[in-house]
Amino acid sequence: MKPRRGSFYSILFILSILCLFFLNTARMALCSYNGNDYFVIATDLLNKGMYLEALDMYEEIARYSDDDNNKAWALLFMGTTYSLYLDQYDAALQQFENVIKVYPDSPAAPEALFNGGIVFYKKGEFKRADEIFTYYVSQYPQGIRRESAKLWAESAKTQMADNLKRTLPPRERVIENTTI
């Protein structure tokens, strides 16, 4: 018995539709990290106190997104999570440095620079913090955080001066007021 030609084409048509469906699904799965959905999920995880899970979500975005800006923002948010919620300053600085080096033209780069200055300040590395804030002001004179960077730099200088006063031996300290 000979198979009918119509059923062959029907089966071929159904197989073609299935192939297109699976190819489209695979393409969508690969590009799904390009939207804001995963950032929203990560923010929700942060709000629930699930910091490590949020870090995983940001890492997936940074690794699998096709959009360099999304990757840069994900790395920035990873650094922010490390510094704000987990007090892991060295890990935060590493992420901020990655943003600045790998994605220097991204809008996340100035934010990473500024946040790096805050982390150095929190670590008590006031000289480095001052250098970063001063650099931020010079590189981004119209930057949104320009005024804040100036204040942080001034505070870092004050902290350095205070630390210098505390480290001088008592006989070498300058007496500022001699009136009794």
Side-chain angles (χ1 to χ4, degrees), residues 63-84:
R63 186 173 289 165
Y64 299 116
S65 178
D66 294 332
D67 184 342
D68 284 348
N69 279 332
N70 279 352
K71 290 179 178 186
W73 284 111
L75 292 172
L76 175 77
F77 294 146
M78 285 177 69
T80 303
T81 302
Y82 279 125
S83 67
L84 286 180

Side-chain angles (χ1 to χ4, degrees), residues 24-94:
N24 191 39
T25 303
R27 187 184 68 76
M28 287 176 58
L30 289 174
C31 298
S32 63
Y33 288 94
N34 292 330
N36 289 328
D37 294 344
Y38 286 93
F39 285 107
V40 171
I41 292 168
T43 301
D44 187 46
L45 291 168
L46 286 175
N47 290 335
K48 292 178 180 176
M50 301 171 74
Y51 308 125
L52 298 177
E53 291 79 3
L55 282 172
D56 285 341
M57 186 62 61
Y58 290 134
E59 187 173 352
E60 285 186 33
I61 296 168
R63 186 173 289 165
Y64 299 116
S65 178
D66 294 332
D67 184 342
D68 284 348
N69 279 332
N70 279 352
K71 290 179 178 186
W73 284 111
L75 292 172
L76 175 77
F77 294 146
M78 285 177 69
T80 303
T81 302
Y82 279 125
S83 67
L84 286 180
Y85 301 109
L86 301 173
D87 295 329
Q88 293 183 13
Y89 299 131
D90 293 333
L93 289 171
Q94 182 179 2

